[in-house]
Amino acid sequence: MENNGNDYGIRIDSYRAGDDYVFLITGGEAHVGAVACAYWHEGEVRSETISVPGHREGELVKELAESAATKLRHRAVVIMGIHIDHATKQDIAQIIALVHEKMKAALESAGR
Protein backbone atom coordinates (compact mmCIF):
# COMPACT_ATOMS: atom_id res chain seq x y z
CA MET A 1 0.00 0.00 0.00
CA GLU A 2 1.34 3.41 -0.89
CA ASN A 3 1.58 6.47 1.38
CA ASN A 4 -2.00 7.49 2.19
CA GLY A 5 -1.59 11.28 2.17
CA ASN A 6 0.42 12.59 5.08
CA ASP A 7 -0.87 10.23 7.78
CA TYR A 8 0.03 6.86 6.17
CA GLY A 9 -3.34 5.57 7.33
CA ILE A 10 -2.02 5.29 10.90
CA ARG A 11 -4.85 4.33 13.22
CA ILE A 12 -5.02 3.43 16.90
CA ASP A 13 -8.02 1.56 18.25
CA SER A 14 -8.16 1.11 22.00
CA TYR A 15 -10.15 -1.34 24.07
CA ARG A 16 -10.70 -2.01 27.75
CA ALA A 17 -10.29 -5.49 29.13
CA GLY A 18 -11.54 -5.07 32.67
CA ASP A 19 -9.00 -2.72 34.28
CA ASP A 20 -6.45 -3.32 31.52
CA TYR A 21 -5.92 -1.69 28.12
CA VAL A 22 -5.35 -2.97 24.59
CA PHE A 23 -4.12 -0.73 21.76
CA LEU A 24 -4.22 -1.89 18.13
CA ILE A 25 -2.00 0.23 15.88
CA THR A 26 -2.23 -0.22 12.13
CA GLY A 27 -1.35 1.68 9.01
CA GLY A 28 -0.85 1.12 5.32
CA GLU A 29 -1.46 -2.59 4.87
CA ALA A 30 -2.62 -3.68 8.34
CA HIS A 31 -1.22 -6.86 9.87
CA VAL A 32 0.22 -8.15 13.14
CA GLY A 33 3.97 -7.61 13.21
CA ALA A 34 4.65 -7.39 16.95
CA VAL A 35 2.89 -7.51 20.31
CA ALA A 36 4.03 -6.22 23.69
CA CYS A 37 2.47 -6.55 27.12
CA ALA A 38 3.66 -4.27 29.91
CA TYR A 39 2.69 -4.75 33.54
CA TRP A 40 3.60 -3.65 37.04
CA HIS A 41 5.69 -6.07 39.10
CA GLU A 42 7.27 -5.24 42.45
CA GLY A 43 6.97 -1.49 41.89
CA GLU A 44 8.36 -1.34 38.35
CA VAL A 45 7.07 -1.78 34.82
CA ARG A 46 8.16 -4.93 33.03
CA SER A 47 7.28 -6.09 29.56
CA GLU A 48 7.29 -9.04 27.20
CA THR A 49 7.49 -8.67 23.42
CA ILE A 50 6.80 -11.03 20.54
CA SER A 51 7.86 -10.05 17.02
CA VAL A 52 7.08 -11.89 13.83
CA PRO A 53 10.35 -12.65 12.01
CA GLY A 54 11.13 -10.00 9.42
CA HIS A 55 9.06 -7.31 11.13
CA ARG A 56 10.55 -4.21 12.74
CA GLU A 57 7.82 -3.06 15.11
CA GLY A 58 9.20 -4.86 18.21
CA GLU A 59 11.13 -2.03 19.82
CA LEU A 60 8.34 0.47 19.24
CA VAL A 61 5.57 -1.73 20.69
CA LYS A 62 7.70 -2.39 23.79
CA GLU A 63 8.28 1.34 24.29
CA LEU A 64 4.59 2.17 23.77
CA ALA A 65 3.32 -0.63 26.04
CA GLU A 66 5.67 0.40 28.84
CA SER A 67 4.66 4.03 28.45
CA ALA A 68 0.96 3.10 28.56
CA ALA A 69 1.36 0.89 31.64
CA THR A 70 3.29 3.66 33.39
CA LYS A 71 0.72 6.35 32.60
CA LEU A 72 -2.41 4.25 33.14
CA ARG A 73 -1.09 2.19 36.09
CA HIS A 74 -2.59 -0.98 34.63
CA ARG A 75 -1.52 -3.71 32.22
CA ALA A 76 -1.23 -2.53 28.64
CA VAL A 77 -0.98 -4.56 25.45
CA VAL A 78 0.11 -2.97 22.18
CA ILE A 79 -0.40 -4.83 18.91
CA MET A 80 1.16 -3.23 15.85
CA GLY A 81 1.40 -3.86 12.15
CA ILE A 82 2.22 -1.07 9.72
CA HIS A 83 3.32 -1.76 6.16
CA ILE A 84 3.99 0.94 3.60
CA ASP A 85 5.45 -0.24 0.29
CA HIS A 86 8.78 1.34 -0.59
CA ALA A 87 8.94 3.35 2.65
CA THR A 88 12.00 5.57 2.83
CA LYS A 89 13.93 6.40 6.00
CA GLN A 90 12.05 9.72 6.01
CA ASP A 91 8.72 7.88 5.74
CA ILE A 92 9.68 5.63 8.64
CA ALA A 93 10.70 8.61 10.80
CA GLN A 94 7.37 10.32 10.02
CA ILE A 95 5.43 7.13 10.77
CA ILE A 96 7.16 6.75 14.14
CA ALA A 97 6.43 10.40 14.99
CA LEU A 98 2.77 9.95 13.98
CA VAL A 99 2.46 6.80 16.08
CA HIS A 100 3.88 8.62 19.11
CA GLU A 101 1.53 11.58 18.56
CA LYS A 102 -1.54 9.37 18.12
CA MET A 103 -0.59 7.15 21.07
CA LYS A 104 -0.25 10.22 23.28
CA ALA A 105 -3.80 11.23 22.32
CA ALA A 106 -5.08 7.67 22.87
CA LEU A 107 -3.52 7.57 26.34
CA GLU A 108 -5.07 10.93 27.23
CA SER A 109 -8.50 9.58 26.22
CA ALA A 110 -7.97 6.26 28.00
CA GLY A 111 -6.88 7.93 31.22
CA ARG A 112 -10.14 9.87 31.59
Side-chain angles (χ1 to χ4, degrees):
M1 175 154 285
E2 294 297 323
N3 177 336
N4 185 11
N6 64 1
D7 72 354
Y8 302 88
I10 304 298
R11 176 181 170 152
I12 300 181
D13 294 305
S14 60
Y15 309 90
R16 290 295 301 262
D19 288 335
D20 303 322
Y21 297 84
V22 178
F23 299 92
L24 175 61
I25 305 172
T26 57
E29 187 175 322
H31 64 286
V32 174
V35 177
C37 178
Y39 53 93
W40 284 89
H41 181 75
E42 297 180 355
E44 67 181 21
V45 172
R46 296 188 183 187
S47 62
E48 302 290 332
T49 304
I50 300 170
S51 294
V52 175
H55 290 76
R56 299 180 185 167
E57 295 96 343
E59 288 181 35
L60 187 54
V61 293
K62 178 182 181 354
E63 174 191 340
L64 295 172
E66 289 176 354
S67 175
T70 299
K71 178 168 178 59
L72 300 171
R73 296 292 203 208
H74 289 280
R75 276 170 261 174
V77 173
V78 176
I79 304 162
M80 183 184 294
I82 298 171
H83 178 82
I84 308 295
D85 282 343
H86 313 294
T88 65
K89 287 183 180 185
Q90 182 180 0
D91 290 325
I92 292 167
Q94 289 175 337
I95 289 165
I96 291 169
L98 280 166
V99 167
H100 278 108
E101 178 183 313
K102 290 184 180 228
M103 187 64 169
K104 181 179 179 184
L107 290 174
E108 302 248 344
S109 292
R112 291 180 194 167

